[in-house]
């Protein structure tokens, strides 16, 4: 299987599997236990926390371990919004967020919170000036993702953070959350002062599914939404996923030593081949301001789903839109927000490259895409011509 769907999930790095093998076999204590086995586990978790904190440019006390990106977003959004006072609370987010942020905000609307959903431009970017125009005295939360999972578009979160920090300096109780799940490990962690809340997920950075992080800056009034023991400084109850946390720490160490040009050169090699061989192919999003690993292409006159299946039959994994919504043939909400028609959105396919892909694999998928698109276009035209003759 040739794998080009790294924005959906990544294979586990062998070094991560090794670290977790040790964890699973030797570090079984409950970190909350007083005895030696417990203290060994506690030490392992705290070593991992320190290493992860330094990678994310926050302090260890600001790292909260969760079960993944979805829980981190839920904790950030509900844990902040439900804890802030006021009966006319307002939040600003965007229509291009992952469902793990969109659905919590939709739930808050049902609970009486006023939510503004900003759009995106044709490049898939959120406009900070527009965001600023929608801020009100009662706005308590802004949530804008760092990098989009479908297009790779990198949002101006440093400017948004500066804006929110300025308002807070002027006395407004307002906090900035950013879903960093796609950005972590691919681009630099936000410089401080960055987002007040920042989500990450292990399985997008070559560690297994089921572990995540919410970085919560000091002083952010977040309350846990899952209640129980006093774990994670009372921000997330539940016995820590010790092997998952140790694996995630190892995974981020590896990301820190990744050569950033590797996936960029693979992605560019792929796009050059496909765009020079085929007509009527457009890039979704802007060539700049996007993750180096992501290529979202619109193949006019081709069903994205049919292309995905044609490539799958040849042992190659790609994606149409978000993995979470595939199965349903709904067009991508992100591409629609960028002004694509339903037809165009349904003709789009996302290729997301990763650490273990090679030039040879890229040449194979580019060749398969070119041949498959030609074939799909030909078979699509044929019945139409017959229909005309009849
Ligand atoms: C994958 C993803 C999530 C969800 O993370 P899980 O760990 O799978 O729950 C959230 N946001 C973005 C942008 C993602 O790509």
């Amino acid at each position: 299987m040739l794998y080009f769907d790294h924005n959906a999930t990544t294979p586990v790095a062998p070094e991560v599997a090794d670290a977790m093998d040790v964890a699973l076999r030797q570090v079984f204590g409950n970190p909350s236990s007083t005895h030696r086995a417990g203290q060994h586990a506690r030490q392992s978790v705290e070593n991992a926390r320190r290493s992860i904190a330094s990678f994310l440019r926050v302090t260890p006390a600001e790292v909260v371990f969760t079960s993944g990106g979805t829980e981190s977003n839920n904790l950030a959004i509900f844990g902040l919004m439900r804890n802030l006072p006021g009966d006319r609370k307002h939040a600003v987010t965007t229509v291009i967020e992952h469902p793990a942020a969109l659905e919590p905000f939709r739930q808050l609307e049902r609970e009486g919170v006023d939510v503004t959903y900003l759009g995106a431009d044709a490049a898939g970017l959120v406009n900070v000036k527009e965001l600023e125009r929608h801020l009100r005295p009662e706005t308590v939360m802004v949530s804008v993702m760092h990098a989009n999972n479908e297009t790779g578009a990198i949002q101006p979160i440093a400017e948004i953070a500066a804006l929110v920090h300025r308002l807070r300096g002027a006395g407004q109780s307002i906090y900035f959350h950013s879903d960093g799940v796609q950005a972590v490990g691919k681009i630099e962690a936000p410089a401080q002062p960055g987002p007040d809340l920042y989500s990450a997920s292990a399985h997008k950075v070559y560690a297994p599914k089921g572990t995540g992080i919410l970085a919560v800056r000091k002083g952010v009034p977040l309350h846990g939404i899952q209640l129980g023991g006093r774990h994670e400084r009372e921000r997330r109850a539940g016995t820590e996923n010790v092997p998952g946390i140790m694996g995630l720490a190892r995974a981020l160490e590896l990301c820190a030593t990744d050569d950033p040009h590797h996936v960029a050169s693979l992605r560019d090699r792929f796009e050059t081949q496909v765009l020079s061989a085929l007509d009527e192919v457009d890039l979704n999003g802007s060539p700049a301001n996007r993750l180096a690993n992501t290529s979202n292409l619109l193949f006019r006159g081709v069903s994205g789903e049919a292309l995905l299946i044609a490539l799958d039959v040849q042992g190659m994994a790609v994606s149409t839109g978000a993995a979470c919504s595939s199965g349903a043939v709904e067009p991508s909400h992100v591409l629609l927000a960028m002004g694509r028609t339903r037809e165009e959105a349904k003709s789009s396919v996302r290729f997301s490259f990763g650490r273990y892909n090679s030039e040879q694999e890229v040449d194979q998928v580019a060749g398969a895409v070119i041949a498959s698109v030609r074939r799909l276009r030909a078979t699509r035209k044929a019945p139409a011509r017959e229909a005309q003759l009849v």
Side-chain angles (χ1 to χ4, degrees):
M1 168 61 85
L2 302 187
Y3 191 76
F4 309 102
D5 197 13
H6 291 79
N7 289 8
T9 195
T10 52
V12 174
E15 298 90 337
V16 170
D18 287 345
M20 291 184 68
D21 190 67
V22 173
L24 285 167
R25 289 171 199 279
Q26 296 169 23
V27 195
F28 68 90
N30 184 326
S32 298
S33 297
T34 311
H35 48 64
R36 236 179 280 175
Q39 288 317 295
H40 182 209
R42 169 58 56 204
Q43 233 167 42
S44 304
V45 168
E46 297 314 317
N47 287 343
R49 194 190 304 277
R50 265 197 303 282
S51 157
I52 290 167
S54 116
F55 184 91
L56 292 176
R57 305 204 213 180
V58 297
T59 68
E62 293 171 330
V63 171
V64 177
F65 291 117
T66 68
S67 67
T70 299
E71 188 193 327
S72 296
N73 284 352
N74 274 264
L75 175 56
I77 296 164
F78 290 129
L80 180 72
M81 292 297 291
R82 287 182 179 155
N83 189 41
L84 288 172
D87 41 26
R88 327 182 289 144
K89 284 181 277 193
H90 174 240
V92 179
T93 185
T94 81
V95 295
I96 60 163
E97 299 301 308
H98 190 277
L102 283 176
E103 292 305 323
F105 278 114
R106 291 206 179 110
Q107 177 57 31
L108 285 175
E109 284 188 283
R110 290 190 280 270
E111 295 173 13
V113 174
D114 194 4
V115 181
T116 299
Y117 298 88
L118 301 173
D121 64 15
L125 294 171
V126 172
N127 184 303
V128 182
K129 285 276 167 287
E130 192 197 342
L131 191 158
E132 198 166 1
R133 278 199 298 278
H134 281 92
L135 295 176
R136 313 174 195 161
E138 67 271 21
T139 310
V140 289
M141 183 174 198
V142 174
S143 181
V144 177
M145 70 199 322
H146 194 174
N148 184 267
N149 43 301
E150 296 193 34
T151 61
I154 299 170
Q155 306 300 331
I157 66 157
E159 288 171 59
I160 299 170
L163 178 63
V164 169
H165 281 256
R166 199 165 67 239
L167 288 172
R168 204 158 63 234
Q172 186 166 346
S173 167
I174 180 170
Y175 299 90
F176 175 36
H177 166 250
S178 184
D179 176 346
V181 170
Q182 288 296 339
V184 170
K186 298 191 185 107
I187 53 177
E188 292 235 330
Q192 296 305 335
D196 301 299
L197 297 149
Y198 193 68
S199 306
S201 175
H203 77 93
K204 306 287 173 88
V205 296
Y206 306 93
K209 290 135 198 78
T211 308
I213 301 164
L214 181 66
V216 184
R217 297 295 287 177
K218 189 163 182 268
V220 175
L222 178 113
H223 263 210
I225 54 172
Q226 170 168 305
L227 307 180
R230 302 175 62 184
H231 309 88
E232 299 297 286
R233 297 175 180 245
E234 295 187 55
R235 293 166 299 188
R236 202 275 189 177
T239 302
E240 298 86 341
N241 176 354
V242 179
I245 289 166
M246 290 173 71
L248 174 53
R250 186 76 188 100
L252 291 179
E253 280 172 26
L254 295 169
C255 287
T257 63
D258 265 340
D259 171 9
H261 302 299
H262 173 66
V263 286
S265 78
L266 295 181
R267 199 266 314 268
D268 293 346
R269 185 181 176 97
F270 170 76
E271 286 186 349
T272 304
Q273 290 183 32
V274 170
L275 294 171
S276 63
L278 294 172
D279 292 330
E280 302 281 300
V281 181
D282 291 322
L283 179 67
N284 287 314
S286 86
N289 289 323
R290 66 173 165 153
L291 296 174
N293 81 315
T294 307
S295 179
N296 194 315
L297 298 178
L298 158 55
F299 300 92
R300 293 185 189 277
V302 174
S303 148
E305 204 64 23
L307 179 55
L308 180 150
I309 291 163
L311 293 172
D312 186 43
V313 166
Q314 299 171 72
M316 301 176 193
V318 301
S319 162
T320 57
C324 318
S325 48
S326 66
V329 263
E330 274 306 293
S332 149
H333 71 287
V334 174
L335 299 182
L336 294 180
M338 290 159 59
R340 293 298 192 198
T341 64
R342 288 175 66 87
E343 166 94 20
E344 288 171 334
K346 284 186 170 192
S347 296
S348 298
V349 175
R350 178 188 71 190
F351 304 83
S352 48
F353 301 94
R355 182 186 295 156
Y356 305 114
N357 286 139
S358 64
E359 289 190 346
Q360 194 203 343
E361 290 179 351
V362 166
D363 294 350
Q364 271 178 272
V365 71
V369 166
I370 293 162
S372 304
V373 166
R374 284 183 179 144
R375 189 168 44 74
L376 289 166
R377 280 179 177 163
T379 52
R380 197 177 148 116
K381 277 179 196 135
R385 230 177 280 129
E386 271 167 40
Q388 276 170 10
L389 290 173
V390 172

